[in-house]
Structure formats: C-alpha cells, structure tokens
C-alpha cells in the first residue's frame, strides 16, 4: 500500500513539474486597480497559476517589482505573449497603463468595460468578491477571450479628458449650489421662482445680493430696482409688488446672511465653471489634426460640444454602427410605466422617458446643441417640424433631435468629410419656406426611420426596431457628388450600411437590384409597405428560408447578409410572427424589419430598397396608390 501511495505522489510531482516547465504560448495577466496599490494575477491557458499573485504599490518600487515578475516569466517562457486585462480603468489605472506601455515585452493591453468585468467575475466567483478573485477573473478573461488591444490615448487627449472631468464636476457643484439657493428661497421669497425660470440669471443674483429677503425688497424703491441690469421695468414692478405681498416666513439679519452666502457660492461655482469651459476649448484646440475636426462642421455643434463628445468617445473607430454611438451616450428612450402621474392616474403602457445612462456633461451640451440645430441645421430642423406636426411634445422632439445630431456627428467623423447642408432636400416642399416654424399639418405621410433621428418611441409604433441603413448625416467631400447621407425618403448617391462596411458579399443566389430611376420621386409610405409583405415571403424570395431551422415563429440559420457558401454558422435569427430579424455575428450585427433586411441584402439605401421591394412583390407604395394587379 505504501509503495502505491509513493508511486502516485511521484507521478503527481512529475506532472506538476512538467506543467511548470512546459513552454507557454500565452499568459493572462489580470490587474484589479485601487488607490494605493493593485493586485495582479498570472494565469496559464489551462487556468492554472503561472506565478504567485503580486501586490503592486503605486510607487517606483511597486512598478519595478511588477517589471521583474514579468521579466522572469518572459525568461521562463520566451515564446509566451502577455495578455493584460486591467479592470475598471479609472483615474487609479492611468499611471499603471502608462508604465505597462513602456515595457519592452510582447504584451497586449486591454482596458475598461467595468460592467463586463464585474459580470465575468460574478460568473466564475459567485460567492467571493476580493482583490484576488477580481484579478484572477481578469486574468482568466485575458487568457481565454483574448480581448483586442485598447488603443493608447495621446497626451493631448488625456488632458482633454481631464479637463472634461473637472468641468463635469464644476457643473454638478453649480447645480447643487443653485438647488440650495432655491431651497432657501422657498422660505425667504417663494414668489420669485414663479417670476423667472432661471435663478442663476445675473439680474436675479444681483437682486438677491442687494435685497436678500422679500421684506427688504418690498421696502426698496422701485426706481432702484429698475436700475438693475437686464431687469426690465415691467418685471421690476411685478417683483416689487409681489415682494410686498409675500407669504415668506423667514426674514431678518440671519436670513439675509444665509441667502447672501448662497448667492456667493453660486457666483463662485459659475466663475469656476466658466474657467473650465475656457480650458476645455484650449485643450480641444491642442489636439493633433484628425477626422474629429469635421464634427464642428455640423450646424448646432460648437467647439464646447465637440470637445465634450470627443473626451468621452475618444476614437470613433470604437463604434461600429451609429446605434452603438448613440447608445454610448444614452440618447434613447426607456419605458417607464411605474407609479402614477400628478393626477393620480396610472401611467399608460408604453410611456417612455429619456434614458438616464450616459455622460451628464455631454447630454447637457447636446440639449443646447439641439435647440440651436432646430434653427440652423436643415436636417434637424426638418425632423423637428415633422415630429411637432405629428403632435409630439417639444421636449420629446428635442430628444430625438439630439439623437439625429449624434448620427450626423458619427457620419462626418467616420468619413472625415464636412457636413454639406445643400446635398439633400432635407425639407419637403410643404416644409420649405422663409421661416423654420413647424407646419400645421404633417409632411409626407411616411414613417421616419432612425436615419432621421427618430428614437424607439417612434419606431415602436411600427413593426419593431429598424436596421439603420446608413452612416447618418450628410458628409461632403471635395465635391457634392460623392457625399454620404440619408433621409427618410431621399436616396443618397453613396450610402455605407452597417452590413457593407465590414461583411462579405451576399450569396450568389441573391441577384443585385437594378438601379432605380432617380428622376421620378414617387412617395413611399414605409409602414404601409411593410404591412403588405411578411418576413417569410422575403426569406423565401431570397432563397434562404429552407436553410433556417426551428419551430413555430422563431427560425435560425446562416445570415443572408454576410454569409458565404460553406459557412453554416447559425448567426441569423428571424421571428416570423413579429417580422423581425437579427444577426448575432459581431462584424455584422444587422437587425430590423423586412424592409431593413431587403436593403441590407441588396445593399441599397432605404428609399431605393422600398421601391425595389414594391416592384418585386407588386405592391402599392402608399395608401393612395392604386393596387397593382397581382398584389399579394
């Protein structure tokens, strides 16, 4: 019995020795960052430790210890490539990232995605949350998933991001100071908030500095109030009268001192915020030339807005589609039917509000940019007019204009072409005119697509989500003939789709669509057209229905958009009941309804795809058009 145990022990030792000395092709390095130090784990491809975990202090000695450990592993495994994954790369990882990029080692550095990292850690270590488990999870992710390298951020971009972060903090401080002032005014002079929408206005602060309570203001002379800059005589008289009849419960020297202190805080935060805004513009101007310079060519987008967008996005190549770019900033609606309204009535199903995700500073700038764009940007102005004519509230229409602006920014940044407002007839003849006021009746009764900046609140009224058919916006090169863009029913001469940008040609069974006569401009009702053809009809016509597998309404199989003969990967999913599809291939990612599928397969803009679909299935293009003989 004893010899058997000894023999088993010798085999175990030999196996361990061989596993240690076997050359490795890759080593996963996971780093959990913290304020004063970082925890580092090293894993082999078989998920066994390649070396003991290491605590790296945020100091020269700590970084040297990490360098020595990596050098030792490199000497033991000269052929090994280090795949480094840093968790939650915030301000604590900046120095570490800079240090790792200077090491002369075969190393791939992946940074970011805090939520994905946390989900990965919970999946493999559901009962423990420690520095060791988090660093081990990152090392496992690096050696198994082999995430792509994160591009290095240059010094100028790093400084822009720092200034943008400081500006966002200053904006929050200004908001907090203003809220405290509003709170105290509710007891010192509650009527003032009903006379102005902006308590941070210069005349309001000047008025409260001189007369901090309603009692003092009511005793002042009206002529003195009328001398305050930007306070009109009519409003001064109204403020004076309301102050004399105020119901305020606080007055006296103490109340005046408290209010003056809050006014001083508001002024201080405003001054600091203005300084950060100036620094943000300087940091933006210091960036080296790149396609980001085209962003400011979009009417409504100024230098401050462009700088805020750039500080968060960093590189447009991170976003494969406009939808991902929009989703990154949280400019999309979310259903909110919890609770009741102010009248005590339950919120109706489908009630939506703007998502709370995304960067607050960017959303603040985008809101102001949209207000400017509805006047000066023809694409956004036309969208705003259509939405208001359909009965949308002003704030809802502005939210969708924010989304449209992001599509335009994505287009000019991605293509490195300036915005060309003359390339497309953004407005219909009914909308065109000397003024930019909303029309009293809707424009052409067609469904705005996501290319027009319509959010899911509008798309929900149709058959479902729509595949964005183009890189949004109008980006003009040297000549207008090759500009990129898309409107809801005006085709572009060149449209880059999410399918054609990265995927292979369509199968040979799909015949290319003939060119559409651009001289004739028939009106197309996209929603009405989609109602006349089913997903099954389209799939059968494309010759791919028989290759799909599944029961009931859900079918799955090779993608007809990017699939190639001999590639049977079932990445394509279609719902025959909802008439929707989606491709789960990371380089394709196409999704939408029957019209989106037709446009993606035939590589056509949405308008031309609608004409081609109607011609193929002999369908009327709108409700007023006579049905075609043989219509299915």
């Amino acid at each position: 019995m004893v010899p058997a145990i000894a023999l088993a022990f010798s085999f175990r030792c030999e196996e361990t020795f061989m596993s240690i000395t076997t050359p490795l092709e890759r080593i996963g390095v996971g780093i959990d960052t913290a304020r004063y130090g970082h925890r580092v784990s090293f894993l082999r491809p078989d998920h066994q430790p390649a070396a003991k975990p290491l605590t790296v202090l945020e100091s020269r000695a700590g970084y040297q210890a990490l360098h020595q450990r990596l050098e030792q592993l490199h000497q033991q495994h000269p052929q090994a490539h280090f795949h480094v994954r840093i968790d939650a790369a915030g301000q604590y990882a900046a120095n570490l990232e800079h240090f790792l990029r200077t090491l002369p080692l075969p190393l791939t550095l992946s940074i970011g995605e805090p939520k994905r990292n946390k989900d990965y850690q919970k999946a493999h270590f559901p009962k423990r949350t420690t520095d060791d488990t988090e660093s081990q999870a990152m090392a496992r992710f690096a050696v198994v998933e082999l995430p792509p390298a994160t591009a290095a951020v240059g010094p100028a971009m790093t400084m822009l991001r720092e200034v943008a972060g400081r500006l966002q903090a200053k904006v929050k401080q200004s908001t907090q100071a203003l809220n405290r002032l509003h709170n105290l005014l509710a007891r010192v002079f509650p009527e003032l908030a009903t006379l102005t929408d902006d308590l941070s206005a210069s005349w309001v602060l000047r008025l409260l500095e001189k007369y901090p309570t309603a009692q003092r203001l009511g005793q002042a002379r009206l002529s003195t109030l009328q001398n305050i800059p930007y306070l009109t005589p009519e409003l001064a008289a109204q403020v004076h009268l309301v102050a004399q009849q105020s119901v305020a419960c606080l007055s006296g020297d103490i109340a005046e001192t408290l209010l003056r202190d809050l006014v001083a805080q508001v002024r201080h935060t405003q001054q600091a915020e203005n300084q950060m805004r100036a620094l943000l513009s300087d940091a933006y101007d210091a960036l080296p030339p790149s396609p980001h310079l085209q962003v400011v060519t979009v009417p409504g987008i100024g230098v401050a807005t462009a700088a805020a967008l750039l500080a968060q996005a960093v590189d447009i190549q991170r976003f494969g589609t406009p939808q991902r770019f929009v989703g990154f900033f949280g400019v999309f609606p979310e259903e909110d039917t919890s609770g009741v309204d102010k009248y005590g009535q339950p919120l109706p199903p489908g009630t939506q509000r703007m998502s709370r995700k995304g960067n607050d500073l960017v959303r603040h700038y985008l809101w102001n940019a949209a207000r400017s764009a509805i006047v000066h940007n023809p694409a956004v102005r036309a969208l705003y007019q259509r939405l208001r004519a359909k009965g949308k509230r002003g704030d809802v229409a502005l939210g969708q204009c924010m989304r449209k602006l992001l599509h335009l920014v994505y287009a000019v940044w991605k293509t490195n072409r300036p915005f060309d407002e003359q390339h497309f007839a953004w407005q219909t003849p009914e909308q065109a005119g000397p003024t930019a006021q909303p029309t009293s009746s809707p424009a052409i009764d067609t469904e705005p697509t996501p290319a027009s900046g319509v959010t899911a609140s509008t798309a929900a009224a149709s058959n479902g989500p729509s595949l964005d058919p183009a890189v949004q916006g109008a980006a003009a090169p040297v000549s207008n003939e090759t500009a990129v863009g898309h409107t809801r029913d005006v085709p572009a001469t060149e449209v880059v789709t999410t399918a054609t940008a990265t995927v292979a040609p369509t199968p040979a069974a799909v015949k290319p669509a003939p060119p559409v006569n651009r001289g004739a401009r028939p009106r197309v009702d996209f929603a009405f057209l989609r109602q006349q053809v089913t997903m099954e009809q389209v799939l059968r016509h494309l010759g791919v229905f028989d290759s799909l597998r599944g029961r009931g309404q859900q079918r799955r199989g090779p993608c007809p958009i990017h699939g190639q003969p001999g590639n049977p990967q079932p990445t394509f999913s279609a719902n025959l009941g909802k008439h929707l599809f989606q491709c789960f291939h990371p380089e394709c990612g196409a999704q939408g309804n029957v019209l989106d599928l037709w446009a993606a397969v035939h590589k056509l803009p949405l308008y031309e795809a609608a004409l081609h679909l109607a011609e193929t299935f002999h369908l009327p293009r709108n409700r007023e058009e006579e049905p075609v003989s043989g219509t299915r």
Side-chain angles (χ1 to χ4, degrees):
M1 188 67 181
V2 175
I5 297 176
L7 182 62
F9 179 75
S10 64
F11 284 160
R12 180 66 59 84
C13 292
E14 182 180 358
E15 180 182 354
T16 303
F17 177 77
M18 292 178 61
S19 64
I20 294 176
T21 58
T22 302
L24 301 178
E25 294 182 356
R26 63 182 185 273
I27 297 176
V29 181
I31 305 178
D32 179 56
T33 60
R35 171 64 181 87
Y36 299 106
H38 320 293
R39 189 64 172 175
V40 186
S41 294
F42 309 88
L43 283 187
R44 302 159 54 91
D46 59 359
H47 307 162
Q48 298 301 316
K52 291 183 179 180
L54 179 67
T55 297
V56 177
L57 298 179
E58 187 72 5
S59 63
R60 176 63 63 182
Y63 284 7
Q64 287 179 351
L66 176 59
H67 188 190
Q68 292 175 1
R69 179 65 59 84
L70 293 175
E71 284 288 355
Q72 291 174 0
L73 288 173
H74 181 60
Q75 292 175 4
Q76 295 175 5
H77 309 282
Q79 304 299 325
H81 187 92
F82 293 101
H83 293 270
V84 183
R85 179 75 169 178
I86 300 182
D87 179 38
Q91 65 273 25
Y92 301 147
N95 297 330
L96 180 63
E97 176 190 356
H98 176 74
F99 171 75
L100 290 173
R101 293 190 184 280
T102 61
L103 297 181
L105 295 172
L107 183 147
T108 297
L109 185 59
S110 173
I111 305 173
E113 299 182 282
K115 185 180 184 304
R116 185 177 184 182
N117 295 341
K118 182 62 67 176
D119 293 343
Y120 200 86
Q121 188 267 339
K122 287 296 183 183
H124 293 282
F125 301 95
K127 298 181 179 180
R128 296 178 59 198
T129 301
T130 64
D131 294 342
D132 278 330
T133 58
E134 292 184 355
S135 62
Q136 290 176 28
M138 294 306 97
R140 185 187 181 103
F141 183 88
V143 76
V144 174
E145 304 294 338
L146 302 180
T150 301
V153 179
M157 177 60 69
T158 301
M159 187 58 64
L160 177 67
R161 291 171 60 84
E162 287 287 339
V163 175
R166 292 291 298 166
L167 175 58
Q168 184 176 359
K170 294 299 182 183
V171 171
K172 289 183 178 180
Q173 291 177 3
S174 297
T175 303
Q176 293 171 354
L178 195 61
N179 289 340
R180 289 193 292 267
L181 176 62
H182 196 287
N183 181 279
L184 184 57
L185 277 176
R187 296 176 297 279
V188 174
F189 189 10
E191 295 83 2
L192 181 61
T194 64
L195 301 178
T196 178
D197 295 330
D198 185 12
L199 290 179
S200 63
S202 60
W203 72 267
V204 175
L205 299 179
R206 181 70 178 274
L207 178 71
L208 294 177
E209 282 178 340
K210 297 187 65 175
Y211 310 104
T213 62
Q215 182 182 12
R216 286 284 303 274
L217 184 59
Q219 296 173 355
R221 290 182 297 180
L222 180 59
S223 58
T224 305
L225 300 182
Q226 293 175 345
N227 292 331
I228 296 178
Y230 305 107
L231 179 58
T232 62
E234 296 79 7
L235 185 57
Q238 189 175 3
V239 170
H240 189 255
L241 178 62
V242 170
Q244 293 174 343
Q245 303 173 355
S246 177
V247 296
C249 62
L250 291 183
S251 60
D253 295 340
I254 297 179
E256 293 177 6
T257 303
L258 291 175
L259 195 66
R260 284 196 174 100
D261 178 67
L262 289 179
V263 171
Q265 291 183 27
V266 172
R267 286 196 179 278
H268 177 74
T269 56
Q270 286 180 340
Q271 182 180 5
E273 185 179 333
N274 292 333
Q275 291 177 351
M276 286 298 114
R277 294 184 192 277
L279 286 179
L280 185 70
S281 298
D282 294 341
Y284 179 83
D285 294 337
L287 292 174
S290 74
H292 77 271
L293 296 175
Q294 306 296 349
V295 173
V296 293
T297 66
V298 178
I301 301 292
V303 172
T305 306
L309 288 169
L310 189 60
Q312 294 300 316
V314 181
D315 186 4
I316 194 62
Q317 301 305 325
R318 296 171 55 196
F319 310 96
T321 63
Q323 292 89 341
R324 294 182 180 180
F325 187 65
V326 172
F328 177 76
F329 292 107
V331 185
F332 55 86
E334 290 181 335
E335 184 174 358
D336 183 14
T337 56
S338 176
V340 297
D341 60 15
K342 61 182 179 180
Y343 302 107
Q345 300 297 325
L347 296 177
T351 301
Q352 295 180 335
R353 59 170 175 79
M354 181 73 75
S355 170
R356 301 185 187 277
K357 302 175 182 177
N359 183 266
D360 293 339
L361 182 65
V362 173
R363 294 158 70 91
H364 169 76
Y365 274 116
L366 276 178
W367 178 264
N368 290 331
R371 296 175 61 183
S372 174
I374 62 175
V375 178
H376 303 289
N377 190 311
V380 179
R381 180 171 62 242
L383 171 64
Y384 183 80
Q385 292 175 7
R386 291 197 303 270
L387 295 175
R388 293 292 284 163
K390 289 185 176 182
K392 298 291 184 181
R393 295 199 319 265
D395 57 339
V396 174
L398 274 177
Q400 298 188 14
C401 290
M402 292 167 60
R403 183 180 184 275
K404 179 63 175 180
L405 276 178
L406 285 178
H407 278 272
L408 298 177
V409 168
Y410 181 89
V412 298
W413 194 356
K414 193 84 169 182
T415 60
N416 193 19
R417 300 173 182 174
F419 180 82
D420 180 16
E421 62 182 40
Q422 302 296 330
H423 184 70
F424 295 112
W426 300 103
Q427 291 179 312
T428 61
E430 292 85 348
Q431 291 176 313
T435 63
Q437 300 298 325
T439 56
S440 58
S441 60
I444 296 178
D445 188 17
T446 56
E447 180 195 12
T449 66
S452 300
V454 180
T455 57
S457 60
T458 302
S462 63
N463 291 343
S466 176
L467 170 66
D468 200 328
V471 176
Q472 307 297 330
V478 178
S479 62
N480 288 341
E481 284 75 8
T482 58
V484 177
H486 193 77
T487 60
R488 54 198 180 104
D489 61 351
V490 181
T493 56
E494 176 187 351
V495 176
V496 182
T497 68
T498 55
T500 59
T502 57
V503 299
T506 57
V510 179
K511 297 181 180 180
V516 179
N517 181 12
R518 298 179 183 276
R521 305 297 306 160
R523 182 163 60 89
V524 176
D525 188 333
F526 293 101
F528 176 70
L529 182 61
R530 289 202 314 267
Q531 294 171 3
Q532 303 175 72
V533 61
T534 66
M535 179 63 71
E536 182 176 349
Q537 287 178 306
V538 171
L539 292 173
R540 288 189 181 278
H541 184 86
L542 296 176
V544 298
F545 184 80
D546 294 336
S547 63
L548 302 179
R549 297 292 180 264
R551 296 180 179 179
Q553 297 180 343
Q554 198 70 34
R555 303 299 173 91
R556 192 157 186 170
C559 180
I561 301 173
H562 79 277
Q564 294 181 347
N567 184 11
Q569 293 184 353
T571 61
F572 179 82
S573 177
N575 190 305
L576 305 182
K578 296 182 179 179
H579 309 291
L580 301 176
F581 79 95
Q582 182 174 1
C583 178
F584 295 95
H585 193 281
E587 295 185 356
C588 179
Q591 60 179 343
N593 50 51
V594 292
L595 184 55
D596 297 321
L597 177 61
W598 194 267
V601 169
H602 292 93
K603 299 180 175 60
L604 287 174
L606 195 63
Y607 176 81
E608 294 186 0
L611 295 181
H612 184 227
L613 180 67
E615 180 181 356
T616 302
F617 289 93
H618 307 289
L619 305 174
R621 293 179 291 259
N622 54 71
R623 301 179 188 275
E624 290 77 19
E625 190 176 49
E626 292 293 332
V628 183
S629 177
T631 299
R632 299 183 185 182

